[in-house]
Amino acid sequence: MSDEARIALRDSLVRAGLLIATGVEGVFGRSGLFERIVEGFCDLVDAEAANDGAEVMRFPPVVTRADFERSGYMKSFPQLVGTVHAFNGNERDHATLLRRLEAGEDWTAGQAATGVVFTPAACYPAYPALAARGALSAEGALIDITSWCFRHEPSLDPARMQLFRQKEFVRVGAPDQVIAFRDLWKTRGEAIIAGLRLPLVIEVANDPFFGRAGRMLASSQREQALKFELLVPIASDIAPTACCSFNYHQDHFGHAWDIRRDDGTPAHTACVGFGLEHITLALLRHHGLDVPAWPADIRTALGL
Ligand code: ZN
């Protein structure tokens, strides 16, 4: 996939008015129509989960710095983290800041870290919230969570955004409970995406762990088949884009946040994530940018 092809796809989405360029790669506004596709897809997933009894949690797109530190994310993915900084100085510092701004110099050096970090994956705020309730019941927990997420990876590929939304379900409990949940959603996710007539493959995958130690973590994750991705070609037919992921974290988060099962052992967790921008872009790529001209069954399925 050449940069030219990525730029052509990005520009066609902007020209069609579906995405609104901001001048920063990977940061776009969305049109009303784009949002209606997103909402239609969310409704489709919610209909599938209607009888599961998931508890809804919604958070602003930040996690506390303390929770972020406990997550271990900085160890594995420092390259993706977006920390939130703010001005914390006195009047003299303010005057210096303004002088630098005026002169077109770097004004960011005086910015200080706040108590929050951008949410890297929608499920992260759910774990400390669950841990704070004390030990789980024998049934464990099932959470419905959606969030804007930030990952610092500016790209010409419109399918690689820095700010995007994930719709997730998170299962917390015993290993057999969370594995059964992940496998159920692998089947459901495939049926939903195939029902929208998108070409897909499901493959064992790994997270983008950083550095040399990260390569070992990635290969161990693959060997144990902890992560599966459902891929659909968007910007490239050769390198399709992950639209859904099905993740078994073992007891990583149970340990990190001290989430306990009813027998006192650390809880296991799994999550299924739908990349709402990726899925919308996949629909636009395969059914065309002229949404009213999409096949009637697809429009009906999405309530368009
Ligand atoms: Zn997750």
Side-chain angles (χ1 to χ4, degrees):
M1 178 75 179
S2 64
D3 279 351
E4 288 74 34
R6 291 193 182 91
I7 292 166
L9 176 65
R10 182 197 61 190
D11 289 353
S12 68
L13 289 158
V14 170
R15 254 196 323 273
L18 290 154
L19 292 181
I20 303 159
T22 66
V24 173
E25 295 306 342
V27 181
F28 295 96
R30 284 91 167 130
S31 74
L33 183 54
F34 190 99
E35 290 301 289
R36 280 173 56 207
I37 302 169
V38 168
E39 284 159 21
F41 181 78
C42 288
D43 290 345
L44 206 55
V45 174
D46 284 338
E48 195 68 42
N51 297 319
D52 295 353
E55 177 189 345
V56 175
M57 287 189 187
R58 296 290 181 267
F59 292 90
V62 287
V63 292
T64 71
R65 204 161 103 195
D67 284 331
F68 179 77
E69 287 163 5
R70 290 187 84 165
S71 73
Y73 196 87
M74 198 54 111
K75 200 169 160 189
S76 296
F77 315 105
Q79 78 280 23
L80 301 177
V81 178
T83 52
V84 179
H85 284 61
F87 175 72
N88 200 21
N90 57 26
E91 284 184 44
R92 208 175 56 196
D93 300 324
H94 184 216
T96 307
L97 173 75
L98 292 182
R99 202 167 48 243
R100 287 184 178 153
L101 259 177
E102 186 113 342
E105 293 168 11
D106 179 21
W107 54 270
T108 60
Q111 299 292 100
T114 63
V116 293
V117 174
F118 276 121
T119 298
C123 59
Y124 272 54
Y127 304 115
L130 280 174
R133 293 178 180 174
L136 298 163
S137 71
E139 290 78 46
L142 175 64
I143 308 298
D144 163 330
I145 197 161
T146 296
S147 183
W148 282 91
C149 304
F150 177 88
R151 289 182 198 169
H152 185 241
E153 43 184 357
S155 167
L156 294 169
D157 183 346
R160 191 168 283 274
M161 292 189 184
Q162 298 197 67
L163 279 147
F164 54 93
R165 282 161 293 183
Q166 283 180 336
K167 179 175 180 59
E168 289 200 28
F169 292 97
V170 186
R171 184 79 170 98
V172 185
D176 58 334
Q177 290 172 326
V178 311
I179 290 169
F181 159 88
R182 186 194 62 172
D183 293 345
L184 171 67
W185 272 104
K186 224 160 79 185
T187 309
R188 284 177 171 178
E190 181 172 9
I192 292 169
I193 301 296
L196 294 169
R197 286 199 266 133
L198 296 174
L200 68 93
V201 289
I202 295 182
E203 287 180 356
V204 171
N206 62 268
D207 289 305
F209 294 103
F210 184 75
R212 197 182 315 161
R215 280 199 288 280
M216 285 166 59
L217 288 171
S219 67
S220 153
Q221 190 183 28
R222 278 179 172 273
E223 266 162 37
Q224 297 179 77
L226 299 178
K227 183 183 187 75
F228 292 87
E229 286 178 339
L230 183 155
L231 304 148
V232 180
I234 301 178
S236 163
D237 288 335
I238 303 153
T241 299
C243 287
C244 319
S245 68
F246 313 95
N247 310 287
Y248 175 34
H249 318 116
Q250 298 172 307
D251 59 1
H252 173 79
F253 291 132
H255 266 298
W257 278 292
D258 198 24
I259 311 171
R260 304 249 154 217
R261 290 173 53 201
D262 60 331
D263 64 4
T265 60
H268 283 234
T269 64
C271 72
V272 49
F274 294 91
L276 299 178
E277 276 72 19
H278 282 180
I279 289 162
T280 303
L281 292 171
L283 286 161
L284 290 164
R285 154 78 200 276
H286 291 280
H287 298 310
L289 302 189
D290 183 6
V291 177
W294 282 7
D297 61 315
I298 308 289
R299 282 186 287 122
T300 304
L302 294 168
L304 295 168

